Structure formats: structure tokens, C-alpha cells
Amino acid sequence: MPYHFADRMAYAPESFLGTLFAVSGDPDIISFAGGLPSSELIDTKGITEATRVVLEEDGSEALQYSTTDGYLPLREYIAKRYRQRYGLSATADEIRIVNGSQQNLDLLAKIFLNPGDGVGLEAPGYLGSIEAFSLYQPTFCPVPLTETGPDPNFLEKTMREKTCRFFYGIPNFQNPSGTSYSDEARRHAGLLARETGTIFYEDDAFGELAFDGRARIPVKKYAREYGIISGSFSKIVAPGLRCGWIYAPSEIIAQFDIAKQSADLHSNFLSQKILHRYLTTTDLDQHVRRVASVYERNCRLMGDLIDDIFGGDLIRTHPEGGMFIWATLPKGIDARDLFEAGVKEQVAIMPGMPFYVEDGGHDAIRLNFSNACEDEISEGMIRLKTAFDRCR
Ligand SMILES: Cc1ncc(COP(=O)(O)O)c(C=O)c1O
């Protein structure tokens, strides 16, 4: 049909998701390709109880329209956590609740980007951010990521050129690489942001999932009014609640409210009320420790198996938290070929290419360790080795 779509739709990157869903739906396939948190670790009992109380005690309010900024007690809870855990001077006025932190990517792009504007980001970078930003037709300025943060010289050059409206980074346990910024990289990025007047958009979807439980210093601590933090309850409570937040200076929040209101009036209010009830009647720290300890065990197992089974053929990252390991393939093996050979052996991995805005990632794969049990990780790695040998 001759439908005439807006020009921006032509900027959407080619999606790999269709292929992925096709393999993820097959129960015989062990999948390390997705990015789901563990279903077993979702506290369904606690959330059921919180839901019951909310609906019984103030169901009609919880099911009514609400305000764009989000449920104040929930925003106060988040602001307090920033003050206590990170020593940031956050107030509820600087926090907005969103329908999952994915919404921040869309709304921040909407308020900051005109077509052609620069956006700095890590290479490799979060696929969902590339997809969200692309629709606003930016000029991407990728900065190579090292094991300790974005290449400092490259970052400095990118920020000093002053062509980027913001730099988007994931300092903690990055998706897809699993790497984290060193303390020096955080300081460098934050001070550069301030000095050059470039916003540092810090996506902290995984920050709470540190295996050692230690809170890492946010880049915002150095970037101050040039720092925005995006947070999410998806990995620490439940992604289906679709509840995340933005923490930003008030001038940015004012524009954000306009964009948010036109997008959806407000975030799911029932979810916000349930979440607040759950958070104030549960020991969140204890729950997060439990989740992180299971992920740590899975990560160590997967990492050890990569080292043992592949004997140095795969060079991998050593995450200190989060849900992903990134592995570089030896010369001559293409990630897409390995993906296809893997599906034949009933194991799915994510090839590296979709995580790059320019050509890249043909020699790398992302492996998710949060949504498989230990037996699946062990068996999956054996299958992956068979697939790998077929590609040689
Ligand atoms: C880095 C990163 N940011 C944002 C998101 C979006 O998460 P949500 O919308 O569930 O908060 C994800 C999801 O996996 C992610 O990996």
C-alpha cells in the first residue's frame, strides 16, 4: 500500500528483534540473547500483597487519572535514596516518574534534539537508546568504550567540539558490555560535561546490581547541573510495572513535563501506588542483595566456562554487576555466523552489530546471564562451543 510515513521513520535502525523473538519463542533453545531479569527473583508474593492493599484501601484513587509529575511519596522515596546512598542533594521536585526508563530516552531526545544535532554515546552502546534517538534524526558521535569507561581522549575531543546536545552513557555494568567506568573516568566525564556545558545523560538501569553491594560514584556528582540520571525499578523490582524515573535540574524537568504530558498525560498510577506500598513495606536492600548474589554466581559460572571451554579464543569482559558479558571473537569468525550456528545447536547469543551506530561488532557477542539457571548456563556454553567450532 502507498502509505506515506514521516521521514523520521526511515531513520529507525534495522531491527534484529524479529529474528531474536523467533528463536526466543522456541523452548528447546537456551537463550543468552535477551536482556530479561530473572523471573524467579521477582517477588510476586510481596507485589500481590501490595496490590491487594492499594486496591482495597484506596482503589478508586489509584485507578483515577493522576498528575504528570508522578506520585509524590514515590518521588520522595527516590530522592531520599539519592541523598542517602549517593550523597546527592536530590529533591522530589527534581524527580519525575516515567513508564519505564526507556521513556526517558524518547522524551529527552524529544526535548533536546533537532534533526542533525549531535548525540554522543558509547560504542558499543545500548540498542534501545540507538533506536529511540534515531527517530529524532541526530548525528551520532560514537566514542569507543574501554574496560574502564569511554576512551578519555576521544571523549574529550567529542565534548570539546561542543556539537553534542548530550552525551549518553551507562557508567555502571553497561548494556551490552558489562563494563563500568573507573572512578577516574567518572570524574573526567563529569568535569568535562561541566566545563564544556554538555549534558551527561547517565543511564543507571543497573547501578543497584553491584555484586559487592557498593554504590559507585555517579557522574552527576561531578557534572552537577549538567548531569541527568535515569533510573528504573525494572531490574530491582519488576519490569512489568513499567516504572522508572528521571532525576534532572528543574529547567530540564519543566520541558520534560511538557513532552511527557503530550505523550501520555502521566505514568501508570496504579503501578506507582503499588510500587510505593511495596517499597515501604519491604527491605529493598535485602531483596537487591539476593538478586545481585544470584547474578554474581551466574556471571562467575559463565565467565569461568568461557575461559575453560574456549581456552582463550574468546576474550571477555569481567563485569562487577549487571546482567551481561561481552566477548570478542577471534579473527575469521563472524558474530552473525556464530548466531546462526548457535540456533542450529539450540543456543542463542546476541551478535554485536546492533550495538553500533556505525559499522562494528562483527567480531563480538553479548551474553546475558541473569535469565538462565546454572544448568542452562553450563549446557548452553557447551552448545556454543560446538557452534563456534562449526564456524572455524
Ligand atoms: C541500559 C538500559 N536502559 C534502559 C532500559 C529500559 O528499561 P526500563 O524501561 O524497563 O526501565 C534498559 C532495558 O533493558 C537498559 O538496558
Side-chain angles (χ1 to χ4, degrees), residues 5-14 134-135 137:
F5 295 108
D7 292 348
R8 76 176 70 86
M9 298 314 293
Y11 287 77
E14 190 198 336
S134 290
L135 293 181
Q137 302 159 256

Side-chain angles (χ1 to χ4, degrees), residues 35 100-102 105 126 168 170 175 203 205-206 232 234-235 239 242:
S101 64
Q102 183 70 26
L105 295 158
Y126 170 49
Y168 169 79
I170 308 175
N175 177 4
D203 186 338
F206 305 100
S232 176
S234 292
K235 312 300 189 299
R242 304 311 299 129

Side-chain angles (χ1 to χ4, degrees), residues 154-380:
F154 222 108
L155 182 70
E156 185 137 2
K157 188 168 166 288
T158 303
M159 288 227 196
R160 288 205 188 284
E161 276 168 4
K162 299 192 180 187
T163 51
C164 289
R165 291 292 177 113
F166 57 81
F167 183 89
Y168 169 79
I170 308 175
N172 297 318
F173 328 125
Q174 195 234 22
N175 177 4
S177 69
T179 60
S180 298
Y181 290 19
S182 64
D183 287 351
E184 179 45 35
R186 289 164 200 267
R187 191 171 170 277
H188 181 239
L191 293 181
L192 255 180
R194 239 165 92 200
E195 200 190 317
T196 60
T198 312
I199 288 163
F200 192 96
Y201 173 175
E202 181 168 12
D203 186 338
D204 198 23
F206 305 100
E208 297 260 4
L209 294 180
F211 298 155
D212 60 8
R214 187 171 60 82
R216 272 57 174 174
I217 305 167
V219 171
K220 184 169 171 63
K221 190 141 201 166
Y222 302 105
R224 296 198 199 161
E225 68 276 23
Y226 288 99
I228 295 177
I229 303 184
S230 167
S232 176
F233 289 109
S234 292
K235 312 300 189 299
I236 53 173
V237 181
L241 290 170
R242 304 311 299 129
C243 214
W245 65 90
I246 188 87
Y247 166 26
S250 50
E251 292 94 324
I252 295 176
I253 290 289
Q255 298 296 311
F256 191 85
D257 284 347
I258 296 169
K260 166 90 178 148
Q261 189 162 15
S262 70
D264 62 5
L265 300 183
H266 64 79
S267 295
N268 184 320
F269 194 47
L270 179 61
S271 278
Q272 297 182 61
K273 296 275 277 189
I274 292 169
L275 198 42
H276 180 256
R277 170 82 202 173
Y278 177 74
L279 292 169
T280 49
T281 51
T282 312
D283 185 342
L284 180 66
D285 291 328
Q286 192 184 33
H287 176 67
V288 170
R289 271 199 303 278
R290 190 162 153 254
V291 175
S293 74
V294 173
Y295 291 0
E296 179 179 23
R297 224 175 41 226
N298 288 359
C299 178
R300 188 169 316 132
L301 175 64
M302 186 179 267
D304 288 350
L305 286 171
I306 292 173
D307 297 344
D308 292 349
I309 298 179
F310 290 88
D313 278 337
L314 291 193
I315 308 296
R316 68 176 181 94
T317 56
H318 295 77
E320 293 176 358
M323 309 195 327
F324 304 103
I325 291 179
W326 182 256
T328 307
L329 307 172
K331 265 204 172 66
I333 297 203
D334 185 85
R336 185 171 266 280
D337 293 343
L338 181 57
F339 170 77
E340 277 160 18
V343 172
K344 285 195 188 121
E345 295 304 323
Q346 303 197 308
V347 61
I349 50 93
M350 186 73 184
M353 296 82 77
F355 302 104
Y356 287 81
V357 291
E358 293 172 340
D359 193 37
H362 298 277
D363 64 344
I365 58 172
R366 186 192 72 176
L367 297 162
N368 168 256
F369 54 75
S370 57
N371 195 34
C373 67
E374 288 176 280
D375 286 350
E376 287 168 331
I377 292 175
S378 303
E379 174 60 24

